[in-house]
Amino acid sequence: MAEGEAAQLKEEGNRHFQLQDYKAATKSYSQALKLTKDKALLATLYRNRAACGLKTENYVQAASDASRAIDINSSDIKALYRRCQALEHLGKLDQAFKDVQRCATLEPRNQNFQETLRRLNTSIQEKLRVQFSTDSRVQKMFEILLDPNSDADKLEKSANNLIVLGREEAGAEKIFQNNGVALLLQLVDTKKPELMLAAVRTLSGMCSGHRARATAILHAVRIDRICSLMAPENEEMSLAVCNLLQAIIDSLSGEDKQEHRGKEEAVVLDTKKDLKQITSHLLDMLVSKKVSGQGRDQALNLLNKNVPRKDLAIHDNSRTIYVVDNGLRKILKVVGQVPDLPSCLPLTDNTRMLASILINKLYDDLRCDPERDHFRKICEEYITGKFDPQDMDKNVIAIQTVSGILQGPFDLGNQLLGLKGVMEMMVALCGSERETDQLVAVEALIHASTKLSRATFIITNGVSLLKEIYKTTKNEKIKIRTLVTSDKTILYSVATTLVNCTNSYDVKEVIPELVQLAKFSKQHVPEEHPKDKKDFVDMRVKRLLKAGVISVLACMVKADNAILTDQTKELLARVFLALCDNPKDRGTIVAQGGGKALIPLALEGTDVGKVKAAHALAKIAAVSNPDIAFPGERVYEVVRPLVSLLDTQRDGLQNYEALLGLTNLSGRSDKLRQKIFKEKALPDIENYMFENHDQLRQAATECMCNMVVNKEVQERFLADGNDRLKLVVLLCGEDDDKVQNAAAGALAMLTAAHKKLCLKMTQVTTQWLEILQRLCLHDRLSVQHRGLVIAYNLLAADAELAKKLVESELLEILTVVGKQEPDEKKAAVVQTARECLVKCMDYGFIKPVS
């Protein structure tokens, strides 16, 4: 019975195969394999399932099934040839060659076997030529780099070539196999900045996407040495080493999204120990006096990015628990640094804020109350351990730590304010004669006073001291802060003053004709005050930012609704918008917590206030790293205010900057793209792609370029009865380089995701081929690369379409581009053109020239 059913399933699989339903065919063959022990039938079933694997591009499965058929019958010519095809696609050319050689021996007159034999022989020879060429190139580069007499031009060229080689899989493996890591360490030992930088960037390329090699490099270079390279006050070097560590972490943790198979998977079984060691050294860097402010910032950035879970649906938060147990005190030490004290560690303007963000992310990543209680106890023990009646510096550090925590997890900060002596110490420090003490105390009081109960305590116990400080101090930072805390009703007055200082109230458009008419009729015409001119306003904004106005505004926003009215919120939104006007100031605004403070202003308050706050958010989101500007889950709250600015009732600048902000956000993660899609922003983005205004059209196209990665957005392009794909294709033919670049990026991703869109692209407009050829010949390399990727996608999608492309002028374009010598800038372009030509050879449309 079972044998008969197996035979029926085989026939059923054959019918599915003829109908090109390869998944159903695979299923039928797999079921039949479970029911039979007949060797001849087993061989046929494995051979047929291998054919399905080739059709569905599951080459590993195809090779495995073909091998099983060959194990049963070593002369099974169909199985041999199918394994040859699968191995060729897997890049195992020498093994594929042996299989087709056996096929040609069994059937010497089969032209297909002879042609495959010739093609594989040519490919193997080319691979060997490239391999030996790469070996000699690597050797020569190192000789030039390590020769003290090499001239500057040769050094620079060799360093850049080495970096490019390190980013290619074949090149990276050759460097690694030829003692490259030891030679790269010799470059580091030269202490020459340009050579050290080249070595670090090459190592970074070699570690990307290869777990075994990343592990070997980590062990050879050693984590302590890598961290020591990140420590000095050299921004470029610190960033390069940070990228190296990120590449290692991504490869070890699987965040690089690479599939590790075969030997690569077998070499490394457990990377947790290495990841823990990296985390441990980064935590040690936080409290080392030998580490520069830049190095400390990069260590904090790496911890912020890699320790907390990216998705709270993942149950395992062991990395966060490890950092809380072994590093929370170190992070608290950074948060509590007071720049004017002699014991202060080297810092940048961003260091304490990055540490506060890390505390916030760690606290948010905890899963239950016992974990949060443990976190709180560590903070309590650290702060109370600093209180010392004999040492004022320790008391100042304790209060600075509380202030830093209040800028992170606010509910935890409020619990710490309830510790015995904390509020009293804040008020007492206001009476100190040292300005450092006063500044720290008043800053902490501002953060503490945002709860009505705390504000009442301060009013009762500290107002007289604050007034005295305001009168006597010459420090403008302290003056601003004492104003904010002196009276719970003063917020509106302070906000109004700041609106006047920043000139951020609405100004009605002056119509010259009406002014002339008013003057003629002897009516009073109000004139602009000289100090309301832009130069004076800019000067006042600079002074306010320097005095730390953002942290004050952030504290005002946190106040209870009993203190903060909707009208005050609108005024604060106006001030924020004025302060965000200059892109150079936005980094300072983010560092002082401005991004986080703007979110509630954009969600609650008057309609005008919400629009102003949303516009300020758009300005920040357009140029800032969202992970730093809006840490944790807050980034998802930014989407709705930005989408509201796409309304046609808003002005062009608001539309434009909202699109820039959404472009930046949509480039961060698919979860953010999903949020933008759910907020129904896509129709508005599409509308702006039709705009006559060049900048709006460009911004909308760039935003769509990021959005098309999302599957639901792709579904809209796949749907019949719309011109979305046609619009993108036509935008690729625009004269504006930036629009072309964005549209070509969108089209490249769409055609890579769905073969149906490759065919649809050729039907939406008769100009598609001309536009594609223009992209592939473009002067701008990024546009040209995207055009070549589109060409590859079309070639790979369908044999008939590929034939049409080969018969056009595109083949000549690909040949010319593919023959170029790849340098660092052109490497991707030339490589993609060559991949297109290889695809044409696979179809048999062109043949390689010996």
Side-chain angles (χ1 to χ4, degrees), residues 442-456:
V442 175
E443 181 79 41
L445 283 170
I446 292 169
H447 292 297
S449 66
T450 53
K451 285 287 178 186
L452 192 57
S453 58
R454 310 288 183 204
T456 307

Side-chain angles (χ1 to χ4, degrees), residues 765-784:
T765 172
T766 54
Q767 301 171 42
W768 70 272
L769 186 55
E770 182 191 339
I771 290 169
L772 179 60
Q773 289 170 353
R774 281 179 60 193
L775 290 177
C776 294
L777 286 169
H778 207 282
D779 294 336
R780 187 171 169 181
L781 289 175
S782 61
V783 179
Q784 186 182 22

Side-chain angles (χ1 to χ4, degrees), residues 153-174:
D153 286 345
K154 275 190 176 180
L155 274 173
E156 186 181 354
K157 192 173 180 182
S158 295
N160 287 336
N161 286 341
L162 196 64
I163 294 166
V164 171
L165 210 57
R167 288 173 184 162
E168 299 169 2
E169 174 53 33
E173 193 58 31
K174 281 296 143 201

Side-chain angles (χ1 to χ4, degrees), residues 329-346:
R329 290 171 184 82
K330 294 172 183 177
I331 303 165
L332 289 170
K333 183 172 180 178
V334 178
V335 167
Q337 292 300 297
V338 181
D340 294 333
L341 294 184
S343 62
C344 185
L345 297 166

Side-chain angles (χ1 to χ4, degrees), residues 95-106:
Q95 295 177 40
F97 184 80
K98 286 177 185 175
D99 280 346
V100 78
Q101 207 170 28
R102 285 178 66 189
C103 292
T105 305
L106 292 167

Side-chain angles (χ1 to χ4, degrees), residues 424-640:
E424 290 81 0
M425 180 57 74
M426 286 184 190
V427 174
L429 283 175
C430 291
S432 170
E433 293 179 1
R434 286 197 310 184
E435 281 195 348
T436 300
D437 300 351
Q438 293 175 4
L439 187 57
V440 169
V442 175
E443 181 79 41
L445 283 170
I446 292 169
H447 292 297
S449 66
T450 53
K451 285 287 178 186
L452 192 57
S453 58
R454 310 288 183 204
T456 307
F457 175 91
I458 295 161
I459 291 161
T460 307
N461 297 280
V463 167
S464 57
L465 275 172
L466 290 167
K467 285 180 178 176
E468 188 61 31
I469 291 172
Y470 182 78
K471 288 175 186 174
T472 56
T473 186
K474 292 180 180 177
N475 188 317
E476 289 187 12
K477 287 185 181 180
I478 297 175
K479 276 184 183 290
I480 288 177
R481 283 157 173 74
T482 54
L483 269 177
V484 175
T485 50
S486 291
D487 185 349
K488 65 180 179 181
T489 61
I490 205 169
L491 290 186
Y492 184 83
S493 305
V494 172
T496 305
T497 305
L498 291 172
V499 167
N500 287 330
C501 288
T502 55
N503 208 19
S504 51
Y505 46 79
D506 289 330
V507 180
K508 289 183 180 178
E509 186 183 355
V510 176
I511 301 168
E513 291 82 0
L514 291 179
V515 173
Q516 292 298 324
L517 188 63
K519 284 182 178 178
F520 182 74
S521 60
K522 296 184 180 178
Q523 296 290 323
H524 172 67
V525 178
E527 293 182 1
E528 184 183 49
H529 193 282
K531 291 196 175 178
D532 276 344
K533 289 181 179 174
K534 193 173 186 311
D535 290 347
F536 284 101
V537 174
D538 289 347
M539 198 185 303
R540 291 198 294 271
V541 165
K542 289 285 182 195
R543 292 187 70 180
L544 283 168
L545 286 168
K546 194 174 179 182
V549 71
I550 295 297
S551 58
V552 175
L553 291 170
C555 293
M556 291 167 76
V557 170
K558 289 178 186 175
D560 281 348
N561 285 337
I563 303 173
L564 188 67
T565 63
D566 283 353
Q567 288 72 26
T568 307
K569 287 178 186 175
E570 182 184 319
L571 295 175
L572 294 179
R574 288 177 181 278
V575 175
F576 266 119
L577 182 57
L579 296 172
C580 291
D581 191 53
N582 188 338
K584 291 179 182 177
D585 295 331
R586 292 173 199 170
T588 306
I589 292 165
V590 168
Q592 294 178 11
K596 195 163 57 174
L598 271 165
I599 296 171
L601 295 179
L603 298 172
E604 298 172 2
T606 65
D607 289 342
V608 173
K610 287 191 285 188
V611 170
K612 299 285 182 190
H615 192 185
L617 273 176
K619 286 177 180 289
I620 289 173
V623 298
S624 305
N625 180 342
D627 295 336
I628 294 173
F630 317 109
E633 298 295 307
R634 289 188 184 89
V635 70
Y636 301 105
E637 296 177 49
V638 178
V639 174
R640 184 170 294 172

Side-chain angles (χ1 to χ4, degrees), residues 23-34:
K23 286 185 180 178
T26 301
K27 187 177 178 182
S28 297
Y29 294 140
S30 299
Q31 287 173 339
L33 282 165
K34 294 174 185 176

Side-chain angles (χ1 to χ4, degrees), residues 26-98:
T26 301
K27 187 177 178 182
S28 297
Y29 294 140
S30 299
Q31 287 173 339
L33 282 165
K34 294 174 185 176
L35 298 172
T36 184
K37 291 183 181 178
D38 182 86
K39 286 193 173 182
L41 183 55
L42 281 170
T44 303
L45 290 168
Y46 279 125
R47 186 174 68 214
N48 290 0
R49 198 168 73 174
C52 293
L54 289 172
K55 292 292 185 182
T56 56
E57 299 182 5
N58 188 349
Y59 301 119
V60 174
Q61 187 64 48
S64 174
D65 282 340
S67 295
R68 289 185 180 188
I70 293 163
D71 289 342
I72 297 168
N73 178 8
S74 59
S75 299
D76 188 332
I77 201 160
K78 286 185 179 178
L80 279 166
Y81 189 62
R82 283 169 193 170
R83 187 169 73 176
C84 160
Q85 290 174 296
L87 290 169
E88 183 181 0
H89 279 99
L90 292 169
K92 298 176 181 178
L93 301 182
D94 49 346
Q95 295 177 40
F97 184 80
K98 286 177 185 175

